[in-house]
């Protein structure tokens, strides 16, 4: 027996002398996903700034790692419907500008040897989306953060995404442009067509009755589609809330066919007159003089400008024993092409 024990001690001594670390089983509830950022969220431990999307700013915020930022963007697209159909650009500062040319380059006809007069030049318009800082400040108890089974990344992404989506959805439709985006329903409207309407003014068609559709409601819907010029109709969508959509789904043509066509396969959107419908609950209900239905190509007509990274700071001191996670993101939005979006105004004239 002593010889066997001597052999075992010799083998252990060889391992220890070689400096091989002992392999230990993980603690109960530990996760291989928990990295440096999870440690920062749980305990405030310093985060080594090697994030690919950016480093901490001068004020001391930490850039959200790429994995969490990707989850936030994906969730926002599904909750904030305007973001999903608009033109979203990433910017490095709040001074973003965009040029939009209205009209074309006039041309003329001449004989082979006739004189060529000077033609007109295109008109450029500069658009600068109003920017504001969108923030969320969710909280969790330290006891919850200490629970190893608690998925910190998923909770943080969900809380921030929900807060951001609510504010975005309202601002892209009805924002006044003061420290926030300017919604497409807050720009001037006119019954004039594209040829005579000033740049930056949306065209509206009246329904024919104050706060209601006229006798043949399908006619104003068809007129709205045709008011949008053919190049913009490629990729156009309807935008309305669920209450308005419930009324439209009951409309029939004179031969009894429904204007609304449900999707025939999973993932296929339902259509109205052949165009997809986006439900945006921030659109107003039908009322006198309300602008309750929009139709247009929002990729061409509405611009969203946002910073590429979300900043987050951990605050365990203000509201003990809760830990706050202050997240902020600069974002702006406005109508960039007023020819690409049309509205229905529920008025008699």
């Amino acid at each position: 027996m002593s010889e066997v024990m001597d052999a075992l001690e010799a083998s252990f001594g060889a391992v220890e002398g070689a400096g091989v670390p002992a392999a230990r089983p993980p603690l109960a509830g530990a996760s291989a996903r928990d990295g440096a950022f999870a440690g920062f969220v749980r305990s405030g431990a310093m985060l080594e700034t090697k994030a690919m999307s950016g480093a901490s700013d001068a004020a001391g915020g930490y850039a959200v790692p790429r994995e969490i930022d990707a989850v936030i963007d994906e969730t926002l697209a599904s909750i904030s419907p305007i973001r999903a159909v608009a033109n979203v650009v990433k910017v490095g500062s709040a001074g973003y500008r965009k040029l939009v040319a209205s009209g074309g380059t006039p041309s003329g006809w001449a004989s082979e040897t006739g004189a060529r007069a000077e033609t007109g030049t295109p008109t450029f318009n500069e658009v600068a989306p109003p920017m504001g800082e969108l923030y969320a400040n969710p909280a969790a108890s330290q006891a919850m953060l200490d629970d190893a089974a608690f998925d910190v990344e998923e909770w943080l992404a969900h809380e921030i995404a929900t807060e951001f989506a609510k504010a975005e959805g309202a601002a892209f439709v009805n924002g006044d442009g003061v420290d926030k985006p300017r919604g497409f329903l807050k720009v001037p409207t006119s019954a004039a067509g594209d040829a005579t309407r000033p740049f930056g003014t949306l065209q509206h068609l009246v329904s024919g009755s104050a706060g209601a559709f006229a006798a043949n409601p399908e006619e104003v819907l068809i007129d709205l589609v045709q008011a949008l010029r053919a190049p913009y109709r490629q990729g156009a969508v309807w935008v309305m809330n669920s209450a308005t959509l419930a009324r439209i789904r009951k409309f029939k043509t004179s031969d009894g066919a429904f204007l609304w066509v449900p999707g025939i396969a999973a993932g296929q959107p339902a259509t109205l007159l052949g165009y997809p419908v986006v439900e945006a609950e921030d659109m107003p209900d039908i009322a006198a003089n309300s602008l309750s239905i929009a139709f247009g190509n929002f990729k061409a007509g509405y611009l969203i400008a946002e910073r590429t990274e979300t900043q987050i700071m951990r605050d365990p001191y203000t509201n003990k024993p809760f830990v706050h996670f202050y997240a902020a993101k600069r974002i702006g939005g406005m109508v960039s092409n007023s020819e690409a979006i049309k509205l229905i105004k529920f008025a008699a004239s």
Side-chain angles (χ1 to χ4, degrees):
M1 176 62 89
S2 61
E3 294 177 357
V4 175
M5 293 299 296
D6 292 341
L8 289 174
E9 290 177 359
S11 65
F12 287 141
V15 173
E16 293 174 356
V20 179
R24 296 184 178 89
L27 298 176
S31 171
R33 298 180 56 218
D34 294 338
F37 182 71
F40 163 72
V41 172
R42 294 176 191 274
S43 62
M46 292 302 293
L47 173 67
E48 188 176 3
T49 55
K50 290 185 178 179
M52 289 184 290
S53 60
S56 61
D57 60 8
Y62 288 93
V64 175
R66 184 178 296 273
E67 299 92 303
I68 291 184
D69 224 7
V71 173
I72 292 174
D73 287 342
E74 180 181 355
T75 307
L76 281 173
S78 63
I79 297 177
S80 178
I82 305 304
R83 167 182 283 269
V85 298
N87 178 26
V88 182
V89 298
K90 304 291 186 179
V91 299
S93 68
Y96 180 77
R97 299 290 188 274
K98 182 180 179 65
L99 291 178
V100 179
S102 59
T105 302
S107 58
W109 294 93
S111 64
E112 181 179 355
T113 59
R116 269 69 171 173
E118 180 181 351
T119 61
T121 57
T123 300
F124 287 96
N125 301 277
E126 183 184 67
V127 295
M131 301 285 289
E133 188 164 90
L134 179 61
Y135 73 93
N137 193 25
S141 67
Q142 186 62 54
M144 181 181 291
L145 296 178
D146 290 340
D147 186 355
F150 177 64
D151 193 335
V152 179
E153 290 87 352
E154 182 179 356
W155 169 82
L156 184 61
H158 175 75
E159 289 295 311
I160 294 175
T162 301
E163 293 294 332
F164 282 10
K166 290 178 182 178
E168 279 190 358
F172 296 154
V173 176
N174 292 303
D176 58 11
V178 179
D179 297 329
K180 64 174 68 69
R182 180 178 295 114
F184 61 88
L185 293 187
K186 290 300 182 181
V187 301
T189 68
S190 169
D194 292 344
T196 58
R197 193 175 67 258
F199 179 83
T201 301
L202 295 182
Q203 181 182 6
H204 70 252
L205 275 63
V206 295
S207 65
S209 178
F213 284 98
N216 298 311
E218 70 278 3
E219 293 183 1
V220 68
L221 297 176
I222 294 173
D223 290 342
L224 189 66
V225 170
Q226 297 307 128
L228 189 69
R229 290 190 285 119
Y232 296 122
R233 289 201 295 269
Q234 304 299 319
V237 297
W238 298 92
V239 179
M240 64 191 77
N241 67 21
S242 57
T244 303
L245 182 58
R247 298 180 62 172
I248 289 180
R249 291 186 63 173
K250 303 169 186 176
F251 291 164
K252 297 181 181 180
T253 60
S254 57
D255 58 358
F258 283 97
L259 300 180
W260 169 272
V261 179
I264 59 176
Q268 292 283 335
T271 59
L272 176 62
L273 297 176
Y275 296 93
V277 180
V278 174
E279 292 186 52
E281 294 307 320
D282 293 291
M283 291 290 288
D285 292 333
I286 295 177
N289 299 315
S290 66
L291 300 169
S292 301
I293 298 177
F295 177 76
N297 188 324
F298 283 78
K299 288 288 185 185
Y302 195 83
L303 173 67
I304 298 173
E306 64 180 3
R307 285 293 302 269
T308 55
E309 66 269 350
T310 302
Q311 298 294 323
I312 183 168
M313 290 181 288
R314 186 179 191 274
D315 177 15
Y317 308 109
T318 303
N319 188 23
K320 297 184 290 293
F322 292 94
V323 179
H324 286 262
F325 300 95
Y326 174 76
K329 188 173 189 177
R330 276 187 284 175
I331 188 166
M334 69 174 298
V335 172
S336 57
N337 185 346
S338 53
E339 294 182 354
I341 300 174
K342 308 292 183 181
L343 304 169
I344 290 182
K345 183 177 183 179
F346 285 84
S349 59

